[in-house]
Amino acid sequence: DIQLTQSPSFLSASVGDRVTITCRASQGINSYLAWYQQKPGKTPKLLIYAASTLQSGVPSRFSGSGSGTEFTLTISGLQPEDFATYYCQQANNYPRFTFGPGTKVDVK
Amino acid sequence: QVQLVESGGGVVQPGRSLRLSCAASGFIFRNNGMFWVRQAPGKGLEWVGVIWYHGSDSDYADSVKGRFTISRDNSNNMVYLQMNSLREEDTAVYYCAKDSATTISGVRYYYMDVWGNGTTVTVS
C-alpha cells in the first residue's frame, strides 16, 4: 500500500503569509495527487487534482506542484477563510485512494 | 446544483447492523462511480469503498471488507452502505463522494469532486 506523510502536522500562520505544506509518498505516484481542505465540522473540499490543476472555483492563491514522491501545496497570501486542515490524497492506486494524515493551519 | 445528502446514521451497539443512504442530485448519477469515506472523531480521512457506475462491482478497504457492502439504485439516484458486525472502531462521520476524472495530455486523473455533509455513526 502507498503511504502518504505530510509535513508539518501543524502550522501557525498569519493572514497574508505564504504557506507551504509538503506531502510525500512511500513510492512514486507520478502526478496522481489531489489536495482537499476541511474546515472544522465541515465536509472536505477538493482544491487541486493531478498535483497542480486547480479545481474550478478555487482561488488562484492556492497552487500545487510536484511529481513522483514529493508534492507541495502553497497558499500565497493566507486569507482568514483558509484556516483549516489540508489533506493530500493519492490516486495512483485508483480507486483505492489513500489520504495523508493532514496538516492543520492555525492562527498565529 | 450537484448535491449529495447522507442519512441513516445513529447510535448502534457493537455487533449490530446499520444502513446508510446517500441521495444524489444535480448530475447524471448512473455515469459516476461513488465512494464512501469516513472520519473517526479527531482523526483523518479513511477511504471505505467504491461502487462502479453500473453497480455490478465494488471494492473495499481491508478494515471493512466482508462486513460492509455498497450498493446503488440508479433509478432513484441512491447509493447505500450496509454495515454489519459493527465495531467501536467504526465510529465515524461517513461521507459519500462522487467519482470524477479529467484527462490531461492523454492521462486520466481521478478525484472526488463533490462530497456530502456526512452522517455520524456511533458504535457503543
Side-chain angles (χ1 to χ4, degrees):
Chain A
D1 285 5
I2 298 172
Q3 308 298 322
L4 298 177
T5 58
Q6 290 183 231
S7 60
S9 299
F10 298 92
L11 189 159
S12 292
S14 301
V15 172
D17 284 354
R18 178 183 175 92
V19 167
T20 298
I21 299 168
T22 299
C23 176
R24 291 185 175 87
S26 58
Q27 63 189 74
I29 58 171
N30 295 297
S31 296
Y32 296 113
L33 190 98
W35 290 95
Y36 298 84
Q37 175 195 64
Q38 188 180 32
K39 298 180 182 179
K42 300 297 184 181
T43 196
K45 174 187 173 183
L46 175 69
L47 298 176
I48 287 169
Y49 60 91
S52 61
T53 302
L54 210 61
Q55 170 69 346
S56 176
V58 174
S60 58
R61 62 180 179 272
F62 291 91
S63 63
S65 64
S67 66
T69 60
E70 187 158 328
F71 303 84
T72 59
L73 171 70
T74 300
I75 310 171
S76 301
L78 196 68
Q79 297 299 300
E81 60 268 29
D82 300 337
F83 292 101
T85 299
Y86 293 86
Y87 295 93
C88 58
Q89 170 241 302
Q90 67 80 20
N92 189 72
N93 283 0
Y94 174 81
R96 289 181 148 248
F97 295 143
T98 52
F99 295 89
T103 295
K104 184 176 182 179
V105 178
D106 220 336
V107 179
K108 183 182 284 184
Chain B
Q1 74 279 19
V2 179
Q3 192 171 11
L4 299 172
V5 179
E6 303 93 337
S7 60
V11 180
V12 61
Q13 294 177 330
R16 304 297 292 263
S17 298
L18 201 63
R19 189 177 86 150
L20 306 183
S21 300
C22 171
S25 60
F27 64 101
I28 304 174
F29 180 73
R30 64 179 181 273
N31 287 352
N32 291 87
M34 294 295 296
F35 294 96
W36 286 96
V37 177
R38 68 183 181 183
Q39 187 170 36
K43 302 297 184 182
L45 301 168
E46 180 187 13
W47 179 86
V48 172
V50 62
I51 187 165
W52 295 117
Y53 66 96
H54 42 69
S56 59
D57 199 9
S58 55
D59 194 10
Y60 302 91
D62 292 344
S63 58
V64 306
K65 193 174 291 185
R67 300 188 298 123
F68 288 13
T69 303
I70 302 174
S71 60
R72 65 189 293 159
D73 177 354
N74 284 347
S75 299
N76 291 298
N77 293 357
M78 297 290 297
V79 62
Y80 304 100
L81 179 64
Q82 177 67 43
M83 304 185 294
N84 298 333
S85 303
L86 281 161
R87 306 167 180 168
E88 291 189 354
E89 55 265 36
D90 295 319
T91 294
V93 175
Y94 284 75
Y95 298 97
C96 62
K98 172 178 161 285
D99 184 21
S100 192
T102 298
T103 300
I104 302 173
S105 300
V107 178
R108 196 84 168 144
Y109 294 95
Y110 296 92
Y111 45 89
M112 294 177 279
D113 65 340
V114 180
W115 297 57
N117 286 333
T119 187
T120 300
V121 173
T122 302
V123 184
S124 176

